[in-house]
Amino acid sequence: MNGRADFREPNAEVARPIPHIGADYIPTEEERRVFAECNDESFWFRSVPLAATSMLITQGLISKGFLSSHPKYGSIPKLIFACIMGYFAGKLSYVKTCQEKFKHLENSPLGEALRSGQARRAAVPGYYSQKPRYESNVSDHSSFVTAPAADNMDKEKFPRYEPIPFSSSMNESTPTGITDHIAQGRNFS
């Protein structure tokens, strides 16, 4: 032996490598066709209806008085904002559908990358239920602890908290507990 342990199972299936799809990737003709189809369908079937609906709702809210119109420009700025948000919401809502179209392409490196990426996530047990890398000790304790149970908690886990009293007067900008005792300790007479 060469000093290295072999942890592979003898009959284990080796996963195929994911094709590299980077910024320099040139899509095939079929992928270009699907890109154009996705762009067209997401615009007409998602973006336009969502933009129009959000503009109608916004205009309704302005006319009912729930939203105020701009003194100089009227409702135009809010309608433009609603239109832009509806457009992008429509585009984003079509991403999963477009990914499915690419997964169904036969000889597509992009489709293969999407299929193998999904297969890898499904093959890893507990992929979505893994614990976070950094955990907090605070999450182990309930925030609805009764008083006797709170006395039994380890007091070293929680730092001692002593709040500094602040003035209720709106004119003062400094905490009262800090400057008062310093000034009282000195005798200027």
Side-chain angles (χ1 to χ4, degrees), residues 50-189:
L50 281 174
T53 303
S54 63
M55 288 174 65
L56 286 172
I57 291 171
T58 302
Q59 184 60 43
L61 291 172
I62 290 171
S63 65
K64 295 280 185 184
F66 290 110
L67 291 176
S68 63
S69 61
H70 192 274
K72 184 176 179 182
Y73 302 111
S75 63
I76 299 296
K78 287 188 173 74
L79 291 176
I80 290 173
F81 181 75
C83 180
I84 291 170
M85 291 297 111
Y87 172 81
F88 284 115
K91 287 289 186 178
L92 287 174
S93 71
Y94 205 72
V95 168
K96 289 283 185 193
T97 307
C98 195
Q99 284 179 347
E100 289 301 318
K101 287 184 178 198
F102 278 105
K103 287 178 187 176
H104 288 91
L105 292 177
E106 291 295 322
N107 296 323
S108 166
L110 187 57
E112 180 63 32
L114 288 170
R115 284 190 296 271
S116 63
Q118 182 184 22
R120 285 235 170 88
R121 283 193 298 270
V124 177
Y127 177 79
Y128 293 105
S129 62
Q130 288 179 354
K131 291 187 177 183
R133 189 174 197 180
Y134 303 104
E135 291 188 18
S136 170
N137 291 337
V138 178
S139 64
D140 295 341
H141 301 291
S142 172
S143 60
F144 300 104
V145 178
T146 60
D151 291 338
N152 294 336
M153 282 187 180
D154 187 13
K155 295 189 182 206
E156 292 177 347
K157 287 185 180 179
F158 300 106
R160 189 170 173 179
Y161 177 71
E162 294 182 20
I164 299 172
F166 284 90
S167 172
S168 62
S169 172
M170 296 300 281
N171 295 334
E172 295 182 27
S173 62
T174 60
T176 58
I178 294 175
T179 57
D180 289 346
H181 75 277
I182 295 172
Q184 291 172 358
R186 294 185 181 158
N187 191 358
F188 292 106
S189 315

